[in-house]
């Protein structure tokens, strides 16, 4: 991690809408993946409040259209579009890229799957790695020219504290040799999300494109999980709080030109060399430049083979 850590006036309790109120993105265009529900929907809603044109890239078109209608009904929101996208299917990713016209100012790679039973794509890729990393990698690299047109574009990579459960195991990405473990599979994909931000920032600096990764926090899918969850109640966030760090990285003037970093609770977090019981911090291997470069090369090879 370079130089001093980035700090902001925002924190654990900040909401996405509070942060959106500090930015004006009228005339800008933003894509949010997985915006049909949860943190993705709230991220899109808040970014629309900046006046930006927001595209909801979703697998479930009906769910996306429902969210789009809610956003459009909110006073002061920018225009909203819904476009189909299945990140586990490279054909779907390519169709989205081919259908994009004009500049893109912000790409929020939010969509993700978590702790699935052992599942593979038609290409033979383990589903967490395929959906959470490779699909977003193909999307971002496919949209690079559109991002470069802005001269100061941002990519936001939604990771997780779960990245501390596994580095990217380059010699066994698809669990061909290791016994399959959904926590390790998810963790590997979330480490890949951080490494992507590190390498995209390095490779695309000349285009003015920066990428940062984040951990949104523990946001239960329903209120009952709050009581039944393994964390103390005070550590759970609302959806509005969970989307805050994504929105900060996407729109805040405070993050202009900042890239290759990992944020928690709206601030850059510390680097750790051992997994902590509370999973705070970011593992050093997730910011390692050699790992980031290797993952980029590996990802390009895997996608080119399809």
């Amino acid at each position: 991690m370079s130089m001093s850590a980035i700090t902001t006036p925002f924190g654990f309790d900040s909401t996405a809408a509070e942060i959106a109120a500090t930015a004006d993105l009228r005339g800008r265009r933003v894509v949010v993946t997985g915006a049909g529900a949860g943190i993705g929907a709230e991220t899109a809603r808040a970014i629309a409040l900046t006046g930006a044109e927001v595209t909801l890239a979703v697998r479930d078109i009906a769910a996306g259209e429902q969210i789009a209608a809610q956003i459009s009904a909110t006073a002061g929101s920018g225009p909203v579009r819904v476009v189909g996208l299945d990140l586990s299917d490279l054909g779907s990713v390519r169709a989205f890229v081919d259908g994009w016209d004009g500049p893109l100012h912000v790409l929020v790679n939010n969509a993700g799957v978590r702790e699935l039973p052992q599942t593979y794509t038609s290409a033979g890729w383990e589903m967490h790695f395929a959906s959470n990393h490779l699909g977003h990698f193909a999307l971002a690299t496919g949209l690079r020219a559109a991002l470069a047109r802005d001269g100061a574009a941002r990519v936001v990579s939604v990771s997780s504290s779960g990245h501390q459960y596994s580095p990217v195991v380059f010699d066994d990405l698809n669990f061909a040799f290791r016994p399959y473990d959904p926590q390790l599979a998810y963790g590997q994909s979330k480490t890949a999300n951080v490494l992507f931000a590190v390498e995209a920032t390095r490779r695309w600096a000349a285009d003015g494109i920066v990428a940062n990764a984040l951990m949104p926090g523990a946001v239960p899918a329903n209120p009952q999980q709050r009581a039944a969850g393994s964390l103390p109640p005070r550590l759970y966030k609302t959806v509005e709080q969970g989307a805050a760090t994504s929105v900060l990285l996407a729109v805040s003037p405070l993050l202009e030109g900042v890239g290759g970093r990992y944020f928690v609770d709206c601030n850059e977090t510390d680097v750790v060399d051992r997994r902590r019981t509370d999973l705070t911090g970011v593992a050093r291997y997730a910011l390692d430049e050699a790992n980031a470069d290797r993952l980029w090369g590996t990802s390009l090879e895997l996608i080119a083979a399809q």
Side-chain angles (χ1 to χ4, degrees), residues 16 22 39 80 83 104 118 130-131 143 148 154 168 194 213 217 224 237 245 260 282 287 299:
T22 68
I39 291 172
V80 187
V83 180
L104 175 61
Q118 192 164 14
S131 294
L143 292 170
R154 302 183 187 188
V168 173
V194 188
Q224 285 71 40
K237 292 187 175 186
T245 307
V282 57
L287 295 173
S299 303

Side-chain angles (χ1 to χ4, degrees), residues 1-2 4-12 19 154-164 190 193-194 197-198 201 210-218 237 241-250 252-271 279-283 286-287:
M1 190 174 292
S2 56
S4 57
I6 302 291
T7 59
T8 77
F10 303 104
F12 181 96
I19 293 167
R154 302 183 187 188
V155 182
V156 178
S157 191
V158 179
S159 181
S160 165
S161 57
H163 82 274
Q164 291 190 29
K190 293 289 107 179
N193 292 155
V194 188
V198 170
T201 297
V210 295
N212 289 289
L214 70 119
M215 195 274 278
K237 292 187 175 186
Q241 292 167 338
T245 307
S246 293
V247 174
L248 178 88
L249 298 182
S252 175
L254 299 171
L255 274 296
E256 199 169 323
V258 172
R261 302 184 184 225
Y262 180 89
F263 289 75
V264 179
D265 298 337
C266 300
N267 288 273
E268 189 176 5
T269 194
D270 55 333
V271 181
L279 297 182
T280 54
V282 57
L287 295 173

